[in-house]
Amino acid sequence: MFSARLLSTIGCLCVFAASQASAVTTTGNYYVGNGSSPCLLLDVELSYSAVRANNKILSSKIAPESGEISGTCGNTNDAIPVSTAILESSNSTAEFTFRLNKTAQPMSWMITKVTVTIDLEDGNSMPLSNWEETALSNGNDNIVLNVTTGANGYSAGVNATYQCMSGSNWTLSNGTAQNGLLSTLNFRAQPFYVTGNFSNSVVKCSGDLPVSTSNVVPIAVGAALCGLVLIVLIAYIIGRSRHQRSKGGYQSV
């Protein structure tokens, strides 16, 4: 019974992942700091889904109404500068944590943590799942889910922008079980050393890179054809030589 429920849950998550593109909002163009001198820039179309009771999906967009969002500006003079960006909607919040690695050569930044907070008191009469019931029974109206896989690798040089316009799905977990997905699309971030706009130096995710056509297959096919032609040519020369020797033998008799 447990395995059947697990398979059904995974199926729901897969269905959600397949329909992400139609579930998200427009690019945010968000920033932390005042409009004239932002310290952090973030563009993203963000939405989440979590599995509820009866394998129903709790999903929502996380789209702040204004471009200026709350967060912190990391002091680049600190040993380990950390910046945060908090995107808030009516019933959910997503917080991104960025860390600057000053010991790397060259210096670089990375996403170290992403959390999603969901308001469970949404007025929905749908039966709650076990993880929701646990949260409410502990006196929590909100449940915090952490991104466990997906955000790793989102990093760039200190003066560069990381870009993943093709998007990805990050796994959400409450620490004991996989609860859902956080979907990103049209992602761009530059959390340190901002000079007014996104840097022209861009690091792209694999989904944004042009598809390279491998030369291995055509080379292999060409080599095989050349080999075949060579074999036929050698067989022809050998056959002709034997024919001429045989013909010469008849003439000598």
Side-chain angles (χ1 to χ4, degrees):
M1 181 178 179
F2 174 78
S3 59
R5 181 178 297 176
L6 178 60
L7 289 173
S8 181
T9 299
I10 294 173
C12 288
L13 291 176
C14 292
V15 169
F16 176 80
S19 61
Q20 287 306 297
S22 61
V24 292
T25 184
T26 55
T27 301
N29 297 308
Y30 307 121
Y31 60 90
V32 176
N34 61 61
S36 59
S37 57
C39 69
L40 183 153
L41 300 176
L42 176 64
D43 283 1
V44 63
E45 300 178 19
L46 202 61
S47 64
Y48 69 85
S49 92
V51 179
R52 309 194 75 171
N54 302 328
N55 292 322
K56 301 296 184 180
I57 295 295
L58 169 67
S59 62
S60 179
K61 303 169 186 176
I62 304 178
E65 295 181 358
S66 62
E68 184 173 0
I69 58 176
S70 57
T72 59
C73 299
N75 186 343
T76 54
N77 293 322
D78 293 343
I80 305 177
V82 175
S83 295
T84 60
I86 303 173
L87 284 71
E88 298 182 71
S89 287
S90 59
N91 63 343
S92 54
T93 301
E95 180 173 354
F96 292 79
T97 302
F98 305 89
R99 187 182 69 191
L100 179 63
N101 186 352
K102 299 175 69 175
T103 61
Q105 295 297 328
M107 286 195 299
S108 61
W109 62 264
M110 66 187 71
I111 294 179
T112 56
K113 188 177 182 181
V114 182
T115 59
V116 175
T117 303
I118 304 172
D119 181 9
L120 299 181
E121 297 290 350
D122 57 3
N124 197 326
S125 59
M126 182 186 303
L128 298 176
S129 61
N130 291 335
W131 60 272
E132 291 175 302
E133 290 177 350
T134 301
L136 292 176
S137 64
N138 291 335
N140 299 322
D141 292 338
N142 298 324
I143 181 69
V144 177
L145 302 177
N146 295 305
V147 169
T148 55
T149 58
N152 52 316
Y154 275 51
S155 62
V158 65
N159 292 315
T161 297
Y162 186 85
Q163 171 184 302
C164 194
M165 309 302 281
S166 56
S168 61
N169 293 310
W170 299 346
T171 303
L172 289 172
S173 172
N174 64 353
T176 58
Q178 178 178 323
N179 305 109
L181 298 171
L182 181 66
S183 173
T184 68
L185 192 66
N186 293 331
F187 182 96
R188 289 193 303 169
Q190 187 175 344
F192 298 98
Y193 294 101
V194 175
T195 57
N197 207 337
F198 284 104
S199 170
N200 291 326
S201 175
V202 178
V203 176
K204 298 181 179 181
C205 67
S206 58
D208 286 6
L209 297 176
V211 178
S212 60
T213 56
S214 175
N215 293 325
V216 174
V217 173
I219 290 174
V221 172
L225 290 175
C226 289
L228 182 61
V229 170
L230 184 61
I231 292 173
V232 171
L233 181 61
I234 293 174
Y236 170 74
I237 293 174
I238 293 174
R240 184 176 180 181
S241 176
R242 288 178 176 176
H243 176 70
Q244 287 179 345
R245 286 200 301 269
S246 175
K247 186 177 179 181
Y250 290 140
Q251 290 176 346
S252 63
V253 172

